[in-house]
Amino acid sequence: MRRFIVGFLATIGTLVLLAVVAGVAFFASGPFSPKPLPQQMVLSLDLRALPPETTSTGLLSGGLFGGSRDIVETVQLLWQAADDPRIVGLYVEIGDEEGGLARVQELRQAIAHFRGKGKFAVGFAESLGSGGTHVADYYLAAALDQIWLQPSGGFGVTGIAVETPFLKGGLDKLGVKVEGGKRYEYKSAPDSFLETGYTRPARENLQQLIDSLFDQFIADVARDRKMEAGQLRRLIDTAPHESEQARRDGLVDKIGYRTDVLEEVYQRANGKRDLVTLAEYAGDEARPKTSGEVIALVRASGAIASGTGNGSPLEDEAMANSEDVVEALENAAQAKDVRAIVLRIDSPGGTYPAADAIADAVGRARAAGKPVIVSMGDIAASGGYLAAVRGEVIVAQPTTITASIGVFTIWPMAQELLTSLGVNVERVSVGRNAGMHSTFQPPTPAQRAAINRELDVIYAAFTAQVAESRNLDANRIDAAARGRVFSGIDAKRAGLVDELGGLQLALSIAKAKAGIDEGRKVEIRRYPDEADRLQRFIDRLFKLAGVTASPNLAMPREVREVLAKFGVATRPGNVRLPPQPPLWH
């Protein structure tokens, strides 16, 4: 009876939701549809929260109706705006201190292209780097031709700091042990549970990583701000600075409030006071469209796992489901009008079989005659790197966190805690190694040996795939593997990636590999069709009600395009779990 009631209510809720969506579509196509944009305008971009790699489908997070745009769509819109004669400039709100540096570099490259068309780009920040542990907001601001800082805000960019909690000592006091193992010494993901502090290899690797990220930041910002790299380092080492001092030192251009900045923007726009948001511009039918030969865009975002997920309709999707990615690659490979595939990966890793399945699908797509170019986001490490390794060309941002070629397994074992509480757990089993990953009883020496053999087999298979795909000999693969994590620029030196750049570079390479003339425009078609956000939400409602299959309620493309203007669009879920101790939240 309970299941019937829940199912009945879920069905009613679904029908009500469809009625609301139909109403939105009606109003959108009628007198309430967006008005044409002016013939001269400034594009307004709010980057106080960087666009995520993919936006959520979770209802509580606002993913279904929030109108948010992911980094791919944001960058594409900026490139279109650069070619739009109606857009004369760009106004940017700055403030995300913790954003991933690879996404910052994607935006920096799009802004550079925009400015290269002779258009201005002005930014405003209430403060810069006030958290004191990261450089993302100022790194982004430096790409603009003018930076405004609020008088009361200040400049607090002091570098990159990483803090990692190590839980082993506390768990020992509770009587909780952590079993498992890793391959090899640089594979530091499980160290929070296995160690009381950084191991020497882990500290060495982490320091090398953040040094590489910071060196890139210094070089790029010094060039942007037309100052010596040594001078910029000294200014950051003596930060924080109050706003006026930051202006005198050349770190920012002007001091003022948001109203002052907007007046400056309007003056540079020849007195026109037409400020258009990215959402408004995205819904404009007159903006330059991409059309022509088709390049497929497939994305794997989040921790890679098998299965299709069992999330609540109120929650974010948290995994890159290998079946979905494999199916998308297969469909793109089979589509006759698709000339090439770009696989966009933003993942800290996941299960070996799931990542291996994606790598196999990449190989099959290439065997079917479709070039597959990999574009890496903030993170493409461990299983995320394995999924990429069979790409014809791998493109990473200089600050992409990648590699981590290794494997680990850990699980808690609470026997001592339970004993101290007077809890006795007994086992009845059949099979010598049954229960070897038990939370209640430790593995036997023979079982530990079996676990280590399994780690050895996976590590050998992982490194063999990398060596074969990247044409690395035994010495080079050993120097690149053992769990080491690299920045994109160091990964290129190690032979793990081919080119440094963002999505646009990956698309250009895909065009070249497909034999498409460089000057011709292309249509970027997403696989799977991301117009099924509503269907995913409905599927979750029916799953919550205990119904195994929901009706297919997908809407016509014309209706979906209208709804997209109001932010009703589909995006796969996103999770960000660094393979090393967190560099940012």
Side-chain angles (χ1 to χ4, degrees):
M1 177 60 71
R2 177 181 177 275
R3 174 168 290 188
F4 171 79
I5 294 173
V6 173
F8 176 76
L9 293 176
T11 303
I12 295 297
T14 299
L15 294 175
V16 171
L17 181 61
L18 287 174
V20 171
V21 169
V24 170
F26 171 77
F27 286 115
S29 59
F32 297 98
S33 58
K35 295 180 180 179
L37 298 181
Q39 290 304 304
Q40 184 173 321
M41 54 191 164
V42 175
L43 186 64
S44 174
L45 185 58
D46 189 344
L47 295 179
R48 287 173 290 186
L50 288 191
E53 186 63 35
T54 56
T55 53
S56 167
T57 60
L59 186 61
L60 290 181
S61 63
L64 188 63
F65 297 100
S68 60
R69 283 175 170 79
D70 59 44
I71 188 67
V72 171
E73 187 175 5
T74 299
V75 168
Q76 290 295 307
L77 287 169
L78 284 173
W79 276 69
Q80 291 173 12
D83 294 328
D84 192 334
R86 299 173 302 165
I87 304 289
V88 298
L90 178 66
Y91 168 68
V92 184
E93 295 267 3
I94 301 159
D96 191 338
E97 301 174 20
E98 302 297 326
L101 293 185
R103 279 178 294 148
V104 171
Q105 288 182 327
E106 290 277 2
L107 291 165
R108 282 174 53 86
Q109 291 154 8
I111 291 169
H113 176 73
F114 184 92
R115 291 179 60 189
K117 299 291 185 175
K119 304 180 180 188
F120 69 83
V122 174
F124 170 75
E126 291 184 350
S127 63
L128 287 166
S130 59
T133 60
H134 205 27
V135 297
D137 56 352
Y138 188 56
Y139 195 20
L140 176 62
L144 307 169
D145 58 81
Q146 191 176 84
I147 306 172
W148 284 70
L149 183 60
Q150 187 164 301
S152 54
F155 181 94
V157 180
T158 57
I160 301 174
V162 176
E163 293 180 324
T164 304
F166 289 89
L167 308 179
K168 184 178 185 301
L171 293 175
D172 286 347
K173 292 180 179 179
L174 292 174
V176 177
K177 304 295 183 183
V178 176
E179 292 284 350
K182 63 180 185 177
R183 297 292 182 275
Y184 276 103
E185 67 271 22
Y186 295 99
K187 192 70 175 179
S188 62
D191 286 356
S192 288
F193 304 96
L194 300 175
E195 306 288 345
T196 57
Y198 291 126
T199 64
R200 184 192 59 77
R203 179 181 291 276
E204 177 185 282
N205 189 204
L206 183 57
Q207 188 67 56
Q208 180 184 17
L209 176 63
I210 63 174
D211 285 346
S212 178
L213 301 180
F214 191 62
D215 287 347
Q216 292 176 60
F217 163 78
I218 290 292
D220 291 344
V221 173
R223 182 182 63 250
D224 294 336
R225 300 302 301 171
K226 297 178 173 59
M227 65 173 63
E228 294 293 328
Q231 179 189 2
L232 179 59
R233 282 184 180 270
R234 286 190 293 273
L235 290 171
I236 289 176
D237 284 343
T238 56
H241 306 293
E242 52 90 17
S243 295
E244 185 57 39
Q245 183 62 51
R247 186 195 65 79
R248 288 196 296 268
D249 289 335
L251 295 168
V252 300
D253 298 292
K254 292 192 176 184
I255 306 301
Y257 292 89
R258 186 174 282 102
T259 303
D260 301 320
V261 185
L262 291 175
E263 287 299 326
E264 169 86 6
V265 168
Y266 298 145
Q267 288 181 20
R268 297 183 70 168
N270 301 317
K272 300 289 185 180
R273 306 179 74 86
D274 292 312
L275 208 62
V276 174
T277 67
L278 193 70
E280 291 171 328
Y281 186 65
D284 179 47
E285 290 299 321
R287 64 186 169 86
K289 300 295 195 304
T290 56
S291 60
E293 303 282 5
V294 177
I295 292 180
L297 176 65
V298 177
R299 294 199 283 186
S301 181
I304 298 171
S306 303
T308 56
N310 296 303
S312 160
L314 303 181
E315 297 173 348
D316 290 347
E317 293 171 329
M319 296 290 176
N321 298 311
S322 61
E323 285 92 335
D324 293 341
V325 180
V326 168
E327 182 181 12
L329 287 166
E330 290 175 346
N331 290 340
Q334 294 167 6
K336 293 183 179 180
D337 58 344
V338 170
R339 298 289 303 277
I341 301 170
V342 171
L343 174 60
R344 175 77 174 186
I345 297 178
D346 185 73
S347 173
T351 66
Y352 182 83
D356 182 48
I358 296 175
D360 177 70
V362 170
R364 291 176 184 274
R366 291 183 60 188
K370 298 293 172 70
V372 181
I373 312 302
V374 174
S375 170
M376 293 180 168
D378 285 337
I379 300 171
S382 196
Y385 183 75
L386 175 59
V389 76
R390 295 192 190 178
E392 187 167 347
V393 179
I394 299 177
V395 181
Q397 288 286 9
T399 56
T400 295
I401 299 174
T402 188
S404 191
I405 300 168
V407 60
F408 73 90
T409 180
I410 56 172
W411 71 94
M413 210 282 295
Q415 183 187 42
E416 291 182 16
L417 173 62
L418 295 176
T419 300
S420 69
L421 296 174
V423 177
N424 180 43
V425 178
E426 295 190 355
R427 177 191 299 169
V428 176
S429 64
V430 60
R432 180 176 299 177
N433 289 329
M436 64 189 294
H437 295 99
S438 171
T439 303
F440 307 116
Q441 297 182 28
T444 66
Q447 290 170 346
R448 283 198 175 94
I451 292 167
N452 282 317
R453 285 195 302 273
E454 183 180 28
L455 292 174
D456 288 337
V457 167
I458 294 174
Y459 181 78
F462 192 168
T463 52
Q465 282 207 56
V466 175
E468 180 183 1
S469 301
R470 302 299 305 169
N471 195 26
L472 300 177
D473 61 27
N475 291 332
R476 289 198 70 188
I477 192 62
D478 186 66
R482 306 187 73 84
R484 292 179 181 87
V485 179
F486 297 105
S487 67
I489 197 167
D490 288 338
K492 187 173 187 295
R493 294 191 186 109
L496 298 178
V497 305
D498 299 294
E499 301 290 344
L500 297 177
L503 181 66
Q504 294 301 322
L505 176 59
L507 290 169
S508 295
I509 295 172
K511 287 171 64 176
K513 292 292 184 180
I516 302 172
D517 185 77
E518 183 179 355
R520 294 188 63 182
K521 291 186 177 181
V522 294
E523 174 191 345
I524 301 170
R525 183 181 299 167
R526 301 190 183 204
Y527 282 81
D529 184 353
E530 293 195 351
D532 66 350
R533 166 171 284 190
L534 181 60
Q535 183 65 43
R536 290 185 183 208
F537 178 73
I538 292 169
D539 288 341
R540 289 184 178 189
L541 280 177
F542 276 88
K543 185 178 291 186
L544 182 67
V547 181
T548 56
S550 65
N552 190 330
L553 300 171
M555 295 170 289
R557 180 179 295 275
E558 292 77 13
V559 175
R560 298 196 300 257
E561 289 176 351
V562 170
L563 293 177
K565 298 177 182 178
F566 287 81
V568 184
T570 60
R571 298 290 184 272
N574 174 266
V575 67
R576 195 158 303 284
L577 299 170
Q580 286 265 342
L583 298 182
W584 41 78
H585 300 296

